[in-house]
Amino acid sequence: MPEQGITIQGIGRHRGRFSQVRIYLGKFFRMFIYQNDWKVLPMAAVIGALVGMVVQPNMFVTMEGTLFGGFALSCVCIWNGCFNSIQVVCRERGIVKREHRSGMHISSYVVAHMIYQAFLCLTQTALLTLVCQRIGVHFPREGFLTGFFIVDFALSIFLVTYASDMLGLFISSFVRSTTTAMTIMPFLLIFQLIFSGGFFSLPEWSQPLTDVTISRYGLRSIAALGDYNSLPSVTAWNTLTKMKDTEVTKTLTVDDVKHLLQNDVIRARLRGVASPQGLTMEDVADVLLSSGMLEQFSGESYDLHVQLGEVMEAIGEEKVQEYVSEATRLASNSEAYAHTERNILYCWVMLAVFSLAFAAMATVSLEFIDKDKR
């Protein structure tokens, strides 16, 4: 390969770590141009567009839409990051081994990869953010930390992508072939997605696994930026409206009727209904309650057959919707998605820690490349 001679010759003349970083950066960018490594960029844009079209109607609009959208975008970022780097070391493992013996510093090689992969991740982040904006994802106007929501959002996307990229770099540093790397990748993605801790109900024993997944902090940061806890919840109400034609059978006693006529919500509805004699239905209810007429039938019961939609109409559909939406919103609130500076910064710091940790592990792994018996 042409790159082999250029790189080895450069290493022979440059023993300094910074000089070697520069040499390898030049090599990686030439590979980006001449060996079609740039193809990861349009692929990221296409995947982002497909996912953006799915999440666009409800992301940052409802609780459910924000959670699903955050999960989907985290999946895209993890895919992009891992795919960027999971083959970059193992495909030239023999070259790295020879150059290490010729004086290459492993730390320089890894740092050059970190800088180059950061360039790829930044470009993918810009493309993904632009695509989501063009498709019509509802971005809030004001950001929480930087003042611009789109900047905060892009920073979360970049950190998730870069942490995944460094994870791919680490895996590529110890596997022996690209075939093995691509075999590991699906299992890696499945692990990240299942143990994200926000989209699937997981048993308590899995919490330690959830704590070390990139997807967990990516999902949390996106949901927290979108102020998840303040958004309306629509799943319960949508389900209820689909059941309007469902017939409900209820056995009512006269005592139950008395309690209903004394209910403040029911009385408010009766107050707005006039009888032919000029009285309101609330007045009629008062007559029934005060005259003792209902006492004559005490203990008797009657089967009531009514459609759920009729009950909602009697109470007031808007009031039912308001109550159900607010109740489900409060029940769905989560401290993990709190719209606080501490929460968002914590997620960002953890993603940065993952990135540095995986890069460090890749360095340690490659330090033993001379013992490779292949």
Side-chain angles (χ1 to χ4, degrees), residues 86-93 171-172 174-187 374:
I86 201 161
Q87 297 186 78
V88 293
V89 179
C90 58
R91 70 185 179 186
E92 58 174 16
R93 190 173 181 87
I171 293 172
S172 189
F174 67 81
V175 298
R176 302 295 181 86
S177 67
T178 57
T179 302
T180 304
M182 296 309 293
T183 302
I184 293 175
M185 188 171 175
F187 294 99
R374 190 183 59 172

Side-chain angles (χ1 to χ4, degrees), residues 284-349:
V284 175
D286 288 337
V287 171
L288 290 172
L289 291 170
S290 60
S291 65
M293 295 176 59
L294 294 177
E295 303 297 336
Q296 301 176 21
F297 305 97
S298 180
E300 295 187 16
S301 61
Y302 304 90
D303 290 334
L304 177 66
H305 301 277
V306 63
Q307 289 185 338
L308 187 59
E310 294 174 347
V311 176
M312 292 166 58
E313 186 177 348
I315 298 174
E317 191 167 315
E318 291 184 1
K319 290 186 177 180
V320 175
Q321 180 179 5
E322 182 180 347
Y323 172 78
V324 171
S325 297
E326 181 65 13
T328 51
R329 183 187 72 81
L330 293 175
S332 301
N333 270 9
S334 172
E335 285 296 323
Y337 307 135
H339 188 60
T340 63
E341 181 177 346
R342 179 179 180 181
N343 190 29
I344 296 171
L345 286 177
Y346 173 72
C347 293
W348 286 355
V349 168

Side-chain angles (χ1 to χ4, degrees), residues 224-242:
L225 283 171
D227 200 4
Y228 169 87
N229 288 339
S230 297
L231 296 174
S233 176
V234 297
T235 298
W237 172 248
N238 290 341
T239 303
L240 196 60
T241 55
K242 292 177 181 178

Side-chain angles (χ1 to χ4, degrees), residues 9 59 66 85 92 97 105 138 149 184 203 207-208 218 235 262 313 327 371:
Q9 184 179 8
M59 188 167 184
T66 301
S85 60
E92 58 174 16
K97 183 177 179 180
H105 296 289
H138 176 75
F149 180 86
I184 293 175
Q207 188 59 45
T235 298
Q262 293 170 344
E313 186 177 348
K371 297 182 179 179

Side-chain angles (χ1 to χ4, degrees), residues 11-296:
I11 292 299
R13 294 198 309 266
H14 297 86
R15 296 289 179 175
R17 295 179 187 273
F18 291 108
S19 298
Q20 291 185 7
V21 169
R22 180 177 56 80
I23 291 172
Y24 278 108
L25 274 177
K27 172 188 174 180
F28 298 151
F29 278 105
R30 287 192 296 274
M31 293 173 67
F32 174 79
I33 296 172
Y34 298 115
Q35 295 190 15
N36 296 329
D37 284 1
W38 55 268
K39 289 183 177 179
V40 298
L41 301 183
M43 183 175 67
V46 171
I47 295 174
L50 293 174
V51 173
M53 287 188 290
V54 175
V55 305
Q56 176 267 331
N58 298 311
M59 188 167 184
F60 303 129
V61 176
T62 66
M63 276 184 158
E64 297 81 359
T66 301
L67 193 63
F68 174 74
F71 177 75
L73 288 177
S74 294
C75 293
V76 172
C77 294
I78 292 170
W79 168 266
N80 286 340
C82 288
F83 194 80
N84 285 348
S85 60
I86 201 161
Q87 297 186 78
V88 293
V89 179
C90 58
R91 70 185 179 186
E92 58 174 16
R93 190 173 181 87
I95 299 173
V96 174
K97 183 177 179 180
R98 289 194 297 272
E99 293 184 357
H100 185 229
R101 291 174 175 175
S102 301
M104 178 190 75
H105 296 289
I106 292 296
S107 58
S108 299
Y109 179 76
V110 173
V111 168
H113 265 303
M114 292 175 68
I115 297 172
Y116 171 70
Q117 296 298 330
F119 159 76
L120 289 182
C121 294
L122 279 171
T123 308
Q124 289 172 326
T125 297
L127 288 171
L128 180 58
T129 304
L130 180 62
V131 165
C132 288
Q133 187 181 42
R134 292 294 184 184
I135 285 175
V137 174
H138 176 75
F139 288 135
R141 289 181 176 272
E142 296 184 3
F144 185 67
L145 295 179
T146 64
F148 300 95
F149 180 86
I150 198 168
V151 177
D152 293 346
F153 174 78
L155 184 54
S156 287
I157 294 297
F158 168 74
L159 288 172
V160 176
T161 307
Y162 192 60
S164 304
D165 194 305
M166 292 298 100
L167 174 59
L169 184 69
F170 167 58
I171 293 172
S172 189
S173 70
F174 67 81
V175 298
R176 302 295 181 86
S177 67
T178 57
T179 302
T180 304
M182 296 309 293
T183 302
I184 293 175
M185 188 171 175
F187 294 99
L188 177 67
L189 294 174
I190 291 171
F191 176 82
Q192 289 288 332
L193 303 185
I194 290 179
F195 292 100
S196 62
F199 206 73
F200 299 102
S201 297
L202 299 172
E204 187 175 349
W205 62 263
S206 67
Q207 188 59 45
L209 297 177
T210 301
D211 291 339
V212 295
T213 55
I214 297 169
S215 53
R216 178 192 187 212
Y217 300 100
L219 173 59
R220 284 180 60 173
S221 65
I222 293 173
L225 283 171
D227 200 4
Y228 169 87
N229 288 339
S230 297
L231 296 174
S233 176
V234 297
T235 298
W237 172 248
N238 290 341
T239 303
L240 196 60
T241 55
K242 292 177 181 178
M243 298 171 61
K244 280 187 175 182
D245 295 332
T246 302
E247 187 175 85
V248 179
T249 301
K250 174 68 176 177
T251 301
L252 291 177
T253 64
V254 173
D255 290 335
D256 292 331
V257 174
K258 290 172 62 178
H259 288 308
L260 286 173
L261 294 177
Q262 293 170 344
N263 183 273
D264 291 337
V265 176
I266 299 296
R267 291 180 68 82
R269 294 291 298 171
L270 294 175
R271 192 177 301 135
V273 181
S275 68
Q277 290 75 24
L279 300 174
T280 66
M281 294 304 295
E282 184 183 25
D283 296 330
V284 175
D286 288 337
V287 171
L288 290 172
L289 291 170
S290 60
S291 65
M293 295 176 59
L294 294 177
E295 303 297 336
Q296 301 176 21

